[in-house]
Amino acid sequence: MKKLNLLLSLPLFAISFIVSAQPSDKAKEIASQIVKEANENSQLENLAHELLDVIGPRLVGTPQMKKANDWAVAKYSDWGISAKNEEWGKWRGWERGITHVDLVSPRVVSLSGMQLAWSPSTDKKGITSELVLIPDVADSLAFSKWLPNVKGKIVMVSMHQLTGRPDYNWEEFATEASFEKMKNERDAHTKAWRERIRKTGYTSRTINAALEKAGAIGIVQSRWSRAFGANKIFSANTKKIPVVDLSLEDYGMLYRMVENGDKPIIKVVAESKELGTVPTFNTIAEIKGSELPNEYVILSAHFDSWDGATGATDNGTGTITMMEAMRILKKVYPNPKRTILVGLWGSEEQGLNGSRAFVEDHPDIVEGVQALFNQDNGTGRVVRLSGQGFLNAYDYLGKWLEAVPKEITDEIETTFPGVPGGGGSDYASFVAAGAPAFSLSSLSWSYWNYTWHTNLDTYDKIVFDDVRNNAILTAILAYMASEAPEKTSRTKSVLPLNSRTGEQRTWPTPRSPQRDGGKLD
Ligand SMILES: [Zn+2]
């Protein structure tokens, strides 16, 4: 009697939710088959090895990117899934060659570093020169007067770090006073460096081109990522002279030598090939829907990467999660109600270009999207899921999650309706077009400092148990979305006011991709 009263006192919608949230026996059976296939016949390790170790990084416009596209199509074909590479634009073709940096005077030692993406090539003999620091001048006029000093020299353009230890290491071992002192010194040092660059009249982005124009023969930088051994490796921004990134340790040593008048001389060999303009692709695979082929469940991950390492967690792990989920679905759910499509997008790193092009080129598919699941923030298990501002997202996502094993959903913090993502990864391209697209957001595993766009983003950083967890989650959500009785609602919630400006927030709108990128002007 007491129990009945309690039930009756619940609002009606709550009861109906509880009843309808129970997954059917069929759903439970499919979910358990997905878990079994993922755990007993995992292909994740093989996929990661072939993609990351053998093919390597996937910078847009490189032959390795195209190799990866072709590899994925072949994998899907092996699994009986139809797939193709869809050209969406062109990019500057470039291929990384050997980088070798040595200190040749006052003593000889090989230095640890690599050329940046799209760095112009040296010849085989390389360049050998003394090093020059950016001077502390009064203003941009004084800097222009100084600039001719770089002629024929290699210029060091980064601040040197006062400590090569990350903060967590200081926190563990330093006295409190010494940690505080270091942080104060570092703040002052960083502020002074910013001021030094500002006074040149250039920014850290534009100064390379100015140095090149003034006759420098090479540029050395060090973009430390605040983690032992980790540097960010982005692009060169020069037309003819090479740009190399050196480890914090080697850069600091050279910097101190120059400051102390030791006149270090280094030799840089940085070979690369310009390959003209090349086509660039998204890899698209699909299993056609048997009842509603024009409605789509999309598994989404960007396929490209930066090339300081092999793009293992950005976004090798998202890529293999979606490929593995698709392989499993083909095996346990070969005749889906709706079409299941995997999009492995090109050139996310330069501005979501592949997915924006897909949205622009396929309005029919975007219109038919039942749900899209994107994963792109590292190797960790999924711990956050937002409704992206769609008013009724809770109704369907909540229901679908009920079919996922509790040990997976227990880790996930959901936010409904949430706010729409304006960028960050490819789901945003679809949200901007009004399609219910969601981000499977991962636990960080020190992503931002250690692996994101660094020289350390390699196979060994993958936590395969977490990636397997994500493949299971993705496959079950895709199955539930495909089988759902109704098409999902796209009703948008009214967004909250921007707390900073007090103005009404607005929904993002679609943006066009860059379809002819990387050109030297
Ligand atoms: Zn990414």
Side-chain angles (χ1 to χ4, degrees):
M1 196 59 200
K2 216 176 169 190
K3 203 174 174 190
L4 185 66
N5 277 340
L6 182 71
L7 267 178
L8 286 174
S9 70
L10 283 171
L12 197 61
F13 71 85
I15 294 176
S16 74
F17 174 73
I18 290 165
V19 172
S20 64
Q22 288 303 316
S24 67
D25 288 346
K26 189 178 167 219
K28 282 185 198 154
E29 171 58 23
I30 295 282
S32 82
Q33 284 179 32
I34 288 171
V35 172
K36 190 167 157 35
E37 176 66 20
N39 286 325
E40 292 177 10
N41 189 30
S42 177
Q43 296 302 305
L44 291 170
E45 287 83 351
N46 290 337
L47 293 172
H49 168 66
E50 291 178 20
L51 179 62
L52 307 172
D53 292 338
V54 182
I55 294 171
R58 300 161 303 286
L59 184 73
V60 60
T62 59
Q64 288 72 31
M65 181 72 255
K66 183 58 173 47
K67 248 187 213 167
N69 289 122
D70 293 340
W71 168 83
V73 168
K75 278 286 153 199
Y76 286 121
S77 313
D78 285 352
W79 301 333
I81 298 166
S82 73
K84 63 178 179 202
N85 290 325
E86 194 175 282
E87 185 178 335
W88 58 265
K90 299 186 188 323
W91 213 270
R92 171 182 170 188
W94 181 85
E95 186 170 16
R96 177 177 284 280
I98 286 170
T99 310
H100 205 97
V101 189
D102 299 287
L103 177 66
V104 294
S105 175
R107 61 188 174 89
V108 175
V109 63
S110 291
L111 304 175
S112 171
M114 71 193 302
Q115 65 189 304
L116 298 190
W118 297 297
S119 173
S121 189
T122 66
D123 63 20
K124 281 196 176 354
K125 293 199 305 273
I127 53 173
T128 302
S129 161
E130 239 179 72
L131 292 160
V132 177
L133 308 181
I134 299 291
D136 195 3
V137 292
D139 54 24
S140 61
L141 193 68
F143 185 70
S144 312
K145 283 199 187 123
W146 174 86
L147 257 180
N149 286 308
V150 304
K151 202 166 170 35
K153 301 273 168 48
I154 298 174
V155 187
M156 299 179 78
V157 296
S158 301
M159 182 182 91
H160 75 288
Q161 300 291 336
L162 299 182
T163 176
R165 295 182 182 278
D167 283 3
Y168 67 81
N169 190 244
W170 278 83
E171 226 165 348
E172 187 175 353
F173 296 108
T175 63
E176 217 168 286
S178 137
F179 186 29
E180 278 309 306
K181 184 167 150 237
M182 182 280 283
K183 284 194 289 190
N184 290 335
E185 283 172 3
R186 187 175 60 187
D187 285 352
H189 182 69
T190 306
K191 216 174 135 207
W193 180 262
R194 286 213 187 102
E195 192 54 18
R196 185 186 285 219
I197 296 293
R198 194 192 61 76
K199 284 188 292 183
T200 65
Y202 297 94
T203 66
S204 57
R205 273 188 61 82
T206 59
I207 202 162
N208 287 5
L211 295 167
E212 173 169 36
K213 213 170 145 210
I217 57 166
I219 290 170
V220 178
Q221 67 158 52
S222 181
R223 193 162 172 166
W224 190 42
S225 187
R226 298 173 186 205
F228 281 120
N231 274 28
K232 306 280 188 219
I233 307 294
F234 290 114
S235 52
N237 293 324
T238 52
K239 288 175 188 155
K240 289 199 180 112
I241 64 170
V243 184
V244 296
D245 185 276
L246 285 183
S247 70
L248 173 150
E249 291 78 7
D250 286 342
Y251 189 88
M253 173 186 73
L254 295 177
Y255 202 102
R256 291 186 297 272
M257 283 179 163
V258 178
E259 270 191 321
N260 288 290
D262 303 318
K263 296 194 183 328
I265 295 173
I266 66 165
K267 177 182 169 190
V268 176
V269 176
E271 292 177 62
S272 63
K273 276 188 205 144
E274 291 292 338
L275 302 170
T277 300
V278 299
T280 184
F281 304 88
N282 293 322
T283 297
I284 308 294
E286 66 172 24
I287 310 174
K288 265 264 172 277
S290 52
E291 282 176 46
L292 298 167
N294 298 324
E295 292 186 13
Y296 294 85
V297 177
I298 301 184
L299 309 186
S300 163
H302 74 85
F303 204 7
D304 66 307
S305 69
W306 282 100
D307 76 338
T310 59
T313 70
D314 186 16
N315 189 21
T317 40
T319 299
I320 64 174
T321 297
M322 299 307 156
M323 292 181 76
E324 176 73 343
M326 192 63 156
R327 181 191 71 79
I328 295 169
L329 286 164
K330 173 71 182 173
K331 206 158 177 179
V332 309
Y333 180 55
N335 297 300
K337 182 168 160 184
R338 295 178 170 86
T339 297
I340 301 178
L341 183 149
V342 184
L344 299 179
W345 317 115
S347 187
E348 186 268 356
E349 298 293 1
Q350 291 72 31
L352 317 186
N353 289 311
S355 60
R356 280 181 177 155
F358 187 86
V359 165
E360 200 167 80
D361 294 344
H362 299 282
D364 47 327
I365 293 179
V366 174
E367 193 50 47
V369 170
Q370 169 77 348
L372 175 144
F373 303 105
N374 185 74
Q375 204 273 326
D376 177 24
N377 63 330
T379 188
R381 59 194 177 275
V382 173
V383 289
R384 282 177 305 276
L385 179 62
S386 157
Q388 294 297 328
F390 293 101
L391 190 63
N392 304 304
Y394 171 74
D395 296 347
Y396 44 93
L397 284 178
K399 225 171 274 181
W400 302 342
L401 283 168
E402 290 289 332
V404 176
K406 216 172 132 35
E407 63 268 25
I408 294 177
T409 53
D410 274 353
E411 301 269 315
I412 303 175
E413 188 190 326
T414 55
T415 312
F416 294 109
V419 290
S425 190
D426 298 293
Y427 65 95
S429 304
F430 289 82
V431 170
F438 305 101
S439 168
L440 302 173
S441 185
S442 290
L443 191 68
S444 95
W445 283 97
S446 305
Y447 180 65
W448 296 109
N449 291 353
Y450 273 101
T451 60
W452 180 70
H453 303 166
T454 73
N455 56 327
L456 300 184
D457 192 9
T458 42
Y459 182 103
D460 50 284
K461 309 306 181 309
I462 298 178
V463 179
F464 281 100
D465 281 347
D466 280 14
V467 179
R468 218 163 346 261
N469 170 95
N470 296 350
I472 292 169
L473 170 69
T474 305
I476 295 176
L477 287 176
Y479 163 76
M480 293 298 285
S482 166
E483 284 293 304
E486 284 170 3
K487 186 151 186 237
T488 48
S489 157
R490 298 180 168 209
T491 306
K492 294 173 175 177
S493 62
V494 176
L495 300 179
L497 299 180
N498 184 319
S499 55
R500 197 170 45 82
T501 63
E503 280 171 28
Q504 178 64 48
R505 282 180 199 246
T506 53
W507 275 72
T509 49
R511 287 173 61 181
S512 282
Q514 198 181 353
R515 296 206 194 236
D516 190 1
K519 277 202 270 186
L520 294 164
D521 39 45

